[in-house]
Amino acid sequence: MKKLLASILCAALCLAALPALGESAPVFKAGTYTATAYGMGGQYPVTMTFSDTEILSIDASENHETVMVGTEAIRILRERILENQSLDLDAVSAATVSSYGFIRAVEACVKQSGADVDALKAKKITIDTYEDDPHQADVIVVGGGLAGLSTAVNCEKNGKHTILLEQRGFMGGHTVLAAGTLLLGGTKLQAELGVEDSGESFNQFMIDFGQGDKDPAQTQLVSKHAQDAYDFVIDMGGHFDTTQVTITEGTYRGHSFEPNIGEAFSSMAESMVNLGVDVRYYTHVYDLIQDDAGSVIGVRATDYYGNETEYYGDSIVLASGGYAGSKEMLMQYWGEKYQNLVYGGLKGTDGTLIRAAMALGADAVDMENPHLDACADLNTGITITAALSTKGGAITVRPSTAQRFANESANHAEDLAAAMLDIGDPWYVIIYDDTAFDVSSSLSYKAGFYNNAGLVHKYDTLEALAAAYGMDASVLQQTIDDYNAAVRGEKADEFGRVAFNKEISAPFYAAKVTNGVTTTTGGLKVNDHMQVVNTEGSVIPNLYAAGETAGGFRIHYISGSSLTHGIVSAI
């Protein structure tokens, strides 16, 4: 078995695999053919070139899929097809829309070439399951998001050989679904831009914003290592917008990835593999292994084919996310009123290892704290980032009244989400304009993706917007006029909003949104070294939690703080 260490992305290539067509090779009508793919980011062309005997090239470069999710699905499938001259392809986990759209377009091109699609689907290859590779390391990290990446890098740099286990065919986790801003205080970039801030004031802000519910050890950790987190990204090949920092609750602390978080993460992941971290894909960890003394010494997992496998290490780090993808856990901890939330996260983020640790006696905190997304797209479940409301000046209205009903910018839009849940309408309308694209490069990228994906629609006039959603145009005009008056400071906003961008005006962008959930704030209880503790307050030896798997920090969520915590919880 080959060890897939040359590149982070090469390790992801084992998606589907298929055997030969018998004695005769498929015969194509040589030429170039194009078909349309329908992905999560909208339509795009797929162009394939054939010789008489093989597929020579596949071009899908004009796609608008999510970077490091949909784009990786397409890349993996493209390379599998070319390497194996086969079409027996599964959809890449967590990117099924992107996968199926691409596969259908490829099949259409093959049909145009006159080849036998069914014969190409019958050609099998073998997926590497790492059976012959070592299953023991100094550190086993579970989860390939920002927290898992940061942990693996820091362990490897400190001389601890690390194996990172990722259940999907690519890395990124929920990180690459974020708007792409690190919340940092007291950084050199702030000072260079004339922003007065310090680690102490940043820490106090998080404590105050968290209403005393945030774990002070973790807020201190985040504030102490703010500059370290910034430097870590740069050292790993990521980039920030150095022309500005964006405002959060009155202070300029938002450090935005450039050109977007997906590309920044991709560069960091490649650097991680170059350091020697051993990444194992399609490895689904579902349980923990304890010795007779109570120390956690390994994990149980299944490989691509569902075969049982085990990994052992001196330290086990859980960075596998929260439990937002488990309706069972949401119902258990949040209650039945939340059973119809739209899930906007990645498949498999279902709290499996939180439950596994709790089965060993681990304590958990903030599990009953609901963290809602106010703006889940009604049809796809994709979360339209709260940054459009908190930073981009978006407003949200009830279609039945054409009026606003909450402070959209408060508490990472949590006030808005709670108001939507209480009102109980099946959907609402989020509205913003071109000024949202000027806030930061990361927010501009996200807003552009929503447009390309067809989640958000553009209206040249207020009348056209009102008609599209069945609203009274005169009332909607008054709603916008009142909002703009508050932006100008001529009157107080009736819902107490004080964080604005600019006045909004035509052309407008709008979408149907509803309550959703992508991430959770509750997780395993940890001490100030991120060691998991049991219900009696004692450390469970060798077991650590990082990022969203750890509870105590994300309650009363602050935009951008989750990414920061993902990095520093591993430093």
Side-chain angles (χ1 to χ4, degrees), residues 445-520:
Y445 165 76
K446 281 292 183 182
F449 167 74
Y450 303 143
N451 293 348
N452 291 326
L455 308 183
V456 171
H457 301 281
K458 186 177 182 179
Y459 301 94
D460 291 330
T461 66
L462 180 139
E463 289 74 19
L465 168 62
Y469 298 96
M471 295 186 285
D472 186 313
S474 62
V475 177
L476 181 60
Q477 182 67 67
Q478 188 61 55
T479 296
I480 291 177
D481 289 345
D482 289 342
Y483 175 80
N484 286 340
V487 175
R488 294 191 298 268
E490 297 173 0
K491 59 184 292 187
D493 182 74
E494 61 179 311
F495 301 104
R497 180 168 182 163
V498 294
F500 302 103
N501 183 20
K502 298 177 181 178
E503 296 180 48
I504 57 174
S505 60
F508 299 102
Y509 299 87
K512 291 181 179 180
V513 295
T514 188
N515 277 129
V517 57
T518 301
T519 60
T520 44

Side-chain angles (χ1 to χ4, degrees), residues 132-175:
D132 296 335
D133 294 309
H135 281 221
Q136 178 136 8
D138 297 316
V139 181
I140 303 295
V141 176
V142 183
L146 188 56
L149 178 149
S150 303
T151 300
V153 166
N154 281 290
C155 290
E156 200 72 38
K157 283 185 174 181
N158 284 303
K160 303 293 185 181
H161 179 53
T162 302
I163 294 176
L164 187 151
L165 306 176
E166 169 55 52
Q167 66 176 320
R168 303 175 183 90
F170 50 87
M171 290 183 62
H174 279 163
T175 298

Side-chain angles (χ1 to χ4, degrees), residues 207 210-216 366 552-553 555-556:
I207 292 173
Q211 303 173 36
D213 293 331
K214 288 183 179 292
D215 176 6
D366 304 331
F553 178 78
I555 188 169
H556 305 300

